[in-house]
């Protein structure tokens, strides 16, 4: 009986590692994706996986407050934000493909390289004796963060940059729950509402940019200079 | 004995797999489809026909179908299908399998150019472009699996896999699986990369190379293509989902092994059919993007075997 929780914890850790790996795969898929609607859906699936990771950690560590974070992630990032963005896409009638600055094969390779960097960085945080889900989830989180940054730099259109920002935030969330078993609930709530508000404000901003420049290409904002 | 059994299995099962994929796909698109056994009938018909050899063709044209067919069969004999023990273990194991398939492809590309028709040349150049990109991804994924087994011999790889059926849940295995699946799509010429159903498209790849063939030679090439598909599918399922794989080819176990193999092939075929139905064919210049993803996944797999 005494062994059971330990076994459980190890099994839970494996599941979390697996799902974290899937999250990373989806992040790379996002880098290679050209269709914005698919991009939004991949983001939704990635967030769903994150919510599942949070729920798994909550279950195996008996930390009920993480459930709330999981449910909030589910509601905000899996349902609200994708619906908001898809409506934005239909309203603005975006048909053209995403055109990254660096071409797609090279960006994917760069994303792979950034993952390696993520691992190297995470390795230095790793302590075998310390509790916590371990360096795998942390490495994935750092990689998500780096790839998210790279995607933001790599895209011209405002909406896709916002999506990259959100996936970057997913990395932060993963780091938080996997390292500390969740920040205090109030912080989680703050971050989530932050994201929601940011998504809405940026959505409106994107719409306005589109209205005044007839394009979402942010490089055209340079014309605002006097 | 087991040589003969696997030889027979490769020859007889491969048209069936192709037929099942075609029928399932037709049903999913609410067509009736040609029936599961159609490829057998096609092969029989083609073998009983005469053939036309272009005047411009050299000896490469006539020798290619044989080389393609037998190198594919040889590769097929080296992979574990029913039992972990492969009937034939040549030097290098899985590397030999990959490069035997490569040999076939090399001659196919040569024969595409041999007749001097512009379609053949186009098909060859496309095929070589894609395979040059697919091969590194495939090697990386295969090495990931080989490191886990400590050997590139397929018998050893499948043997270690038997002990740990749930190993594919490890992240590195999953990356390798994803990479190898993408390579499988590219190598077997399935839909996001190439359309296997038609030789009426300007963007065809495999069909363009064999456009000049007819009669028995065409039958050999078609058969070889479906055997290659079976070989790659079997490689994928037996490396990553070794459920029901028997240690050796003896007695009743072999029957059970065949049943498991058929079940897993059916599952994989369903997945392929779904993928083919929901995706449109990619533009040729988009294919490198898909393969870059496969390559990245493959290298992540290799990296994460050391880091996880």
């Amino acid at each position: 009986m005494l062994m059971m929780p330990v076994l459980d914890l190890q099994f839970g850790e494996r599941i979390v590692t697996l799902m974290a790996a899937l999250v990373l795969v989806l992040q790379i898929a996002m880098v290679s994706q050209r269709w914005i609607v698919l991009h939004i859906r991949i983001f939704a699936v990635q967030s769903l996986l994150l919510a599942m990771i949070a729920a798994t950690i909550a279950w195996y560590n008996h930390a009920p407050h993480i459930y709330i974070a999981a449910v909030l992630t589910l509601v905000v990032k899996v349902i609200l934000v994708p619906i908001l963005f898809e409506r934005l896409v239909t309203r603005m009638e975006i048909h053209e493909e995403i055109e990254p600055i660096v071409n797609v094969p090279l960006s994917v390779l760069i994303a792979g390289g950034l993952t390696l960097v993520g691992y190297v960085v995470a390795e230095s945080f790793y302590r075998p004796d310390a509790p916590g889900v371990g360096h795998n989830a942390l490495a994935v989180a750092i990689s998500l963060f780096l790839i998210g940054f790279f995607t933001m730099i790599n895209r011209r259109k405002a909406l896709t940059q916002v999506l990259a920002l959100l996936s970057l935030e997913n990395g932060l969330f993963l780091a938080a729950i996997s390292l500390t078993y969740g920040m205090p609930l109030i912080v989680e709530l703050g971050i989530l509402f932050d994201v929601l508000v940011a998504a809405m404000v940026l959505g409106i901003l994107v719409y306005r940019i589109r209205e005044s420049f007839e394009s979402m290409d942010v490089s055209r904002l340079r014309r605002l200079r006097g | 004995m087991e040589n003969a059994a696997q030889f027979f299995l490769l020859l007889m099962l491969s048209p069936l797999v192709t037929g099942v994929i075609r029928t399932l796909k037709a049903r999913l698109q609410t067509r009736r489809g040609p029936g599961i056994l159609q490829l057998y009938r096609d092969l029989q018909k083609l073998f009983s026909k005469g053939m036309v050899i272009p005047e411009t063709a050299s000896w490469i044209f006539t020798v290619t179908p044989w080389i393609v067919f037998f190198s594919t069969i040889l590769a097929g004999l080296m992979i574990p299908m029913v039992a972990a023990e492969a009937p034939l273990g040549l030097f290098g194991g899985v590397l030999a399998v990959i490069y035997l398939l490569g040999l076939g492809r090399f001659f196919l590309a040569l024969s595409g150019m041999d007749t001097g028709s512009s379609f053949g040349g186009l098909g060859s150049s496309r095929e070589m472009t894609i395979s040059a990109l697919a091969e590194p991804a495939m090697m990386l994924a295969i090495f990931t699996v080989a490191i886990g087994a400590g050997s590139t011999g397929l018998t050893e790889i499948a043997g270690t896999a038997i002990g740990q059926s749930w190993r594919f849940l490890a992240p590195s295995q999953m990356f390798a699986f994803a990479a190898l699946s993408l390579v499988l799509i590219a190598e077997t010429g399935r839909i996001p990369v190439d359309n296997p159903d038609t030789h009426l498209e300007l963007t065809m790849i495999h069909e363009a190379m064999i456009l000049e063939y007819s009669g028995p030679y065409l039958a050999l090439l078609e058969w070889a293509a479906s055997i290659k598909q079976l070989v790659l599918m079997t490689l994928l399922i037996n490396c990553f989902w070794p459920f029901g794989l028997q240690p050796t080819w003896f007695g009743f176990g072999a029957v059970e092994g065949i049943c498991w193999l058929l079940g897993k092939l059916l599952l994989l075929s369903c997945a392929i059919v779904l993928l083919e139905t929901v995706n449109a064919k990619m533009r040729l210049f988009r294919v490198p993007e898909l393969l870059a993803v496969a390559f990245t996944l493959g290298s992540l797999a290799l990296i994460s075997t050391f880091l996880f």
Side-chain angles (χ1 to χ4, degrees):
Chain A
M1 279 306 284
L2 210 65
M3 283 301 288
M4 276 310 281
V6 178
L7 270 178
D8 264 351
L9 204 60
Q10 273 175 353
F11 185 64
E13 196 169 310
R14 279 178 64 191
I15 291 180
V16 169
T17 308
L18 181 71
M19 286 198 282
L22 272 175
V23 166
L24 187 60
V25 171
L26 288 178
Q27 184 82 347
I28 291 173
M30 260 192 248
V31 174
S32 71
Q33 192 51 252
R34 280 176 182 271
W35 296 104
I36 192 148
V37 176
L38 271 180
H39 194 150
I40 295 169
R41 291 193 186 147
I42 293 175
F43 170 76
V45 176
Q46 191 191 39
S47 309
L48 179 67
L49 275 170
L50 270 183
M52 278 159 66
I53 290 177
T56 315
I57 289 177
W59 172 260
Y60 282 106
N61 295 295
H62 310 287
H65 70 278
I66 305 184
Y67 281 123
I68 302 174
V71 170
L72 279 175
T73 310
L74 192 71
V75 172
V76 174
K77 285 196 206 153
V78 183
I79 300 168
L80 278 182
V81 171
I83 287 178
L84 198 76
F85 278 4
E86 286 203 21
R87 276 174 63 186
L88 202 61
V89 168
T90 34
R91 201 169 62 172
M92 298 198 301
E93 292 165 0
I94 302 172
H95 295 303
E96 73 263 54
E97 299 180 352
I98 300 168
E99 282 171 15
I101 293 168
V102 180
N103 69 13
V104 173
L106 193 59
S107 340
V108 172
L109 289 182
I110 290 175
L114 288 174
T115 312
L116 192 58
V117 174
Y119 269 100
V120 172
V121 173
E123 199 66 28
S124 57
F125 287 106
Y126 181 55
R127 294 239 181 79
D129 51 329
V133 177
H135 65 316
N136 285 323
L138 180 64
V140 171
I142 295 175
S143 313
L144 288 191
F145 195 73
L146 292 173
I147 297 174
F149 260 131
F150 170 68
T151 319
M152 270 176 82
I153 299 166
N154 198 18
R155 299 278 163 84
R156 288 197 183 91
K157 302 284 161 66
L159 191 58
T160 49
Q161 288 179 343
V162 177
L163 275 169
L165 177 71
L166 286 174
S167 66
L168 186 154
E169 204 279 331
N170 271 352
L172 281 180
F173 181 73
L174 182 62
I177 51 168
S178 63
L179 275 188
T180 62
Y181 295 140
M183 292 174 280
L185 185 60
I186 193 79
V187 181
E188 301 263 9
L189 278 177
I191 291 180
L192 271 168
F193 282 114
D194 227 24
V195 167
L196 188 59
V197 170
M200 284 166 82
V201 169
L202 287 170
I204 294 165
L205 186 66
V206 166
Y207 191 64
R208 291 287 167 224
I209 294 176
R210 164 89 173 190
E211 288 274 280
S212 25
F213 293 93
E214 289 175 350
S215 160
M216 285 198 301
D217 195 336
V218 287
S219 56
R220 302 218 183 162
L221 289 181
R222 290 209 187 104
R223 274 203 254 145
L224 289 177
R225 277 191 307 210
Chain B
M1 171 60 200
E2 53 196 45
N3 254 323
Q6 183 147 344
F7 184 68
F8 188 72
L9 204 61
L10 279 171
L11 286 186
M12 288 297 117
L13 192 60
S14 54
L16 185 69
V17 172
T18 310
V20 165
I21 291 180
R22 280 186 194 163
T23 308
L24 281 176
K25 198 174 153 190
R27 286 292 148 83
L28 204 60
Q29 297 167 348
T30 61
R31 289 184 287 123
R32 265 185 68 212
I36 293 176
L37 303 176
Q38 186 58 40
L39 191 57
Y40 295 104
R41 292 185 212 121
D42 283 351
L43 289 177
Q44 195 193 1
K45 183 187 75 186
L46 285 172
F47 272 122
S48 60
K49 278 192 164 183
M51 59 182 157
V52 181
I53 295 178
E55 282 174 10
T56 49
S58 69
W59 58 274
I60 288 180
F61 188 82
T62 44
V63 90
T64 295
W66 300 105
I67 292 183
V68 173
F69 189 73
F70 284 109
S71 66
T72 316
I73 288 276
L74 201 60
L77 286 179
M78 290 171 64
I79 59 161
M81 285 183 83
V82 178
E85 189 128 22
L88 211 64
L90 283 183
F91 47 88
V94 67
L95 301 182
V97 171
I98 291 171
Y99 286 102
L100 274 171
L101 294 177
L103 179 73
R105 181 167 46 226
F106 174 67
F107 270 92
L108 206 55
L110 276 190
S111 77
M113 294 187 291
D114 187 45
T115 53
S117 90
S118 46
F119 270 121
L122 271 179
S124 302
S125 94
R126 286 171 187 163
E127 172 85 5
M128 284 337 242
T129 311
I130 288 176
S131 70
L133 293 165
E135 198 177 285
M138 190 169 180
M139 296 308 277
L140 286 171
I142 289 285
F143 280 140
T144 309
V145 182
I147 283 172
S151 159
T152 54
L154 274 163
T155 305
E156 282 84 0
I157 289 176
T160 11
I162 286 181
Q164 18 183 319
S165 295
W166 293 100
R167 190 186 52 167
F168 71 89
L169 285 179
S172 65
Q173 299 294 313
M174 219 188 54
F175 288 137
F177 179 73
L180 210 54
S181 316
L182 287 179
V183 171
L184 175 82
I185 291 168
E187 288 274 325
T188 53
R190 305 230 66 103
I191 249 181
V193 177
D194 186 12
N195 190 348
D197 294 332
T198 174
H199 50 263
L200 295 172
E201 267 185 50
L202 281 176
T203 52
M204 59 195 170
I205 299 172
H206 182 255
E207 296 296 322
M209 284 192 294
I210 62 173
L211 206 57
E212 298 286 339
Y213 281 101
S214 55
Y217 280 172
L218 181 60
L220 274 182
L221 287 173
E222 294 271 351
W223 209 348
S226 80
I227 292 172
K228 181 182 172 188
Q229 173 174 304
L230 177 65
V231 167
L232 287 171
M233 282 167 80
T234 316
L235 190 68
L236 187 71
I237 57 181
N238 278 350
C239 280
F240 291 100
W241 317 324
F243 304 108
L245 197 64
Q246 304 297 315
T248 45
W249 268 87
F250 281 115
F252 188 69
V255 180
E256 197 192 326
I258 290 176
C259 292
W260 272 100
L261 179 71
L262 291 179
K264 288 186 287 185
L265 280 175
L266 186 65
L267 259 175
L268 186 59
S269 307
C270 291
I272 289 176
V273 166
L274 266 180
L275 204 72
E276 282 213 314
T277 310
V278 299
N279 277 302
K281 193 174 159 317
M282 278 181 158
R283 277 197 334 224
L284 190 68
F285 293 113
R286 290 289 155 78
V287 173
E289 292 172 10
L290 187 75
L291 293 171
V293 174
F295 179 78
T296 309
L297 285 174
S299 39
L300 277 184
L302 200 58
I303 290 164
S304 58
T305 36
F306 293 115
L307 291 179
F308 273 102

